[in-house]
Amino acid sequence: MKIKQLYIAAIALLGTGTFAQQANAQLLEEKGKFTHADTLRGMLTPLRTCYDINYYHLDVKFDIDKKFISGSNQFKFTATQDFTKLQFDLFDNLKIEKVVYKGKEVPFTRDGNAAFVTFPQTISKGSKDEFTVYYSGNPTIAKNAPWDGGVVFKKDSLGKPFVATACEGVGASIWWPNKDHLADEVDSMMISISVPKGLKDVSNGRLRKVTQLKDGYTRFDWFVANPINNYDVVANIADYVHFSDTYMGEKGKLNLDYWVLPTSLEKAKKQFGANVKPMLKAFEHWFGPYPFYEDSYKLVETPHLGMEHQSATAYGNKYLNGYLGYDMSGTGWGAKWDYIIVHESGHEWFGNNITGKDLADMWVHESFTCYSESLFIEDNWGKAAGQEYNFGLRKGISNDSPIVGIYNVNKEGSGDMYPKGAVVLNMVRTIINDDEKWRNILRGLNKTFYHQTVTYDDITGYISKESGMDLTAVFDQYLHYKTLPVLEFAKSQDNRLICRWVAEAKDFKMPIRVKVKGGEYKFITPGNSFTPVDLAGATKDNIEIDTLNYYVGMLID
């Protein structure tokens, strides 16, 4: 999730004159300065690719009074090559007590937030093996979750502990040891969280066992049967109450479990009841079956606004419609449903089912999920309503930097990946001009890349292939450049109306709908040199372009 706060500020849509100036400007991306630590965190080196994670057992005790955690994580893996040394990750404010391999401690070194283990003999390619990391310390406390990472230690209205983890972007190694890179999702996982007696932990997957420990703590064992990315793994600790429901979806009965504070119970029953099933109906229609039937669907009340924690969606929207009562689009449509339930649940398909291999491609998570909001509206109030909402999102676009981030240094792109990404996907739908084909593409993405990590080329290439249209330059322009393409009209020497695209992307050529005032829209496909406008009666005084469904600049000379 991590909705950028600049997005909430609803920055005004730029005028077309600014578009023209932008289109003629050079791309000036501020690369920033990246450190050795950024590379250790973001790069897939041989010390990371040498092993494929199969299973984790994370076992952590929370001493809430001291804001202290201690425990272990078992790494089970398959060797992808012969090796004697590997890297895992854990923030350096947490102490590695020991690393155990075949019952014995093995040496390790640290380089900031990265740790390197040396094994006593070569681990052979294809072999399955394991080691366990024991650790402890005071984890980073999140100052303003979910935008900054760490652990949230708060109290509920009755003064009882209200604790949660949230670590998108900064990485799961801020509170537990793992191979902290999006490209390698663990296949399954046991999450054991021990909390002071009288409290409950709610984590991902299904609750396997509750054990009363002798030291006054209670351990909750949650098992995740599906692949899960590191930042989705969560601990939520409070004096929770539980209620449940079921949904008959495309793959049968889906368990719906809700964990909330006792004081929220009646509000939660009303708000969750009004939003969850319509959301599931809409998203299964557009994207295919909910991807984690085996692990159930959960909403968990948290002391922060929300996050897409797989099968345990964090909810802190105060049981209000909109985004804390605010309509992100300014159209009225965003005030009819609970933003956090719909948006964060949309991530179950884009972000959790389909996960980018590098944080630079976080747009795969956020653009599609932001776009899912308008599809939810369309499913409930009709296509015109969805299109109006999508158009309204433009006021949150800043065109400040490219949507795609910088690879191999754990750097995501512009916050425009939310509203601009959603607008661009809606525009691609308009270009394809076949709603059923578009729906099949969205469903096909979730089927083809089911429980997989993906690249930019995987997603954009699939859409081009399945649409039968080469959209390479379209995605390139809107995702790799901050400026908008400008459709420039002029009059030829023989007084005919001519047009061209002005864009940075190589060979940019995008179909666009135009019409003569009072007429019907027709597709034309300009290139980067002037060609006649194939529209009878069109002049520079009466030409109109579809700016509801397209996000472009227009310049009439």
Side-chain angles (χ1 to χ4, degrees), residues 6 32-33 62 84 114-115 172 259 294 320 343 345 371 450 545 547:
L6 62 86
K33 293 183 179 180
F62 278 73
T84 57
W259 296 83
E294 300 85 355
L320 298 170
H343 179 92
S345 298
Y371 175 59
Y450 183 73
I545 66 171
T547 53

Side-chain angles (χ1 to χ4, degrees), residues 328-486:
M328 300 289 275
S329 73
T331 64
W333 293 112
K336 296 180 179 294
W337 43 279
D338 191 309
Y339 181 92
I340 293 299
I341 292 176
V342 172
H343 179 92
E344 303 305 347
S345 298
H347 276 302
E348 294 283 40
W349 284 264
F350 292 97
N352 300 347
N353 183 39
I354 302 174
T355 306
K357 286 184 182 292
D358 192 291
L359 197 68
D361 283 324
M362 187 58 68
W363 69 273
V364 175
H365 303 202
E366 300 299 353
S367 297
F368 281 93
T369 301
C370 192
Y371 175 59
S372 76
E373 299 159 19
S374 62
L375 296 179
F376 169 80
I377 292 172
E378 179 171 336
D379 198 70
N380 285 276
W381 293 283
K383 184 174 181 179
Q387 297 293 295
E388 185 178 346
Y389 176 86
N390 188 276
F391 183 84
L393 294 178
R394 297 186 188 193
K395 67 181 183 177
I397 299 173
S398 59
N399 291 311
D400 59 342
S401 61
I403 286 174
V404 173
I406 301 170
Y407 292 96
N408 300 318
V409 288
N410 202 52
K411 175 65 174 175
E412 63 187 47
S414 167
D416 277 353
M417 72 178 79
Y418 295 85
K420 186 175 179 179
V423 168
V424 169
L425 289 171
N426 185 68
M427 188 178 70
V428 170
R429 174 189 185 178
T430 302
I431 293 169
I432 293 171
N433 196 33
D434 184 331
D435 285 351
E436 190 58 26
K437 178 182 283 190
W438 179 237
R439 174 172 170 259
N440 287 333
I441 287 171
L442 296 174
R443 290 176 67 94
L445 283 167
N446 278 279
K447 183 177 181 180
T448 301
F449 301 109
Y450 183 73
H451 292 175
Q452 293 182 35
T453 58
V454 299
T455 65
Y456 173 96
D457 289 338
D458 288 333
I459 298 302
T460 60
Y462 181 90
I463 295 174
S464 284
K465 178 177 179 291
E466 295 302 317
S467 67
M469 307 174 74
D470 185 359
L471 299 167
T472 304
V474 175
F475 284 117
D476 186 22
Q477 179 64 43
Y478 283 95
L479 300 181
H480 287 127
Y481 298 90
K482 65 182 180 181
T483 56
L484 294 179
V486 170

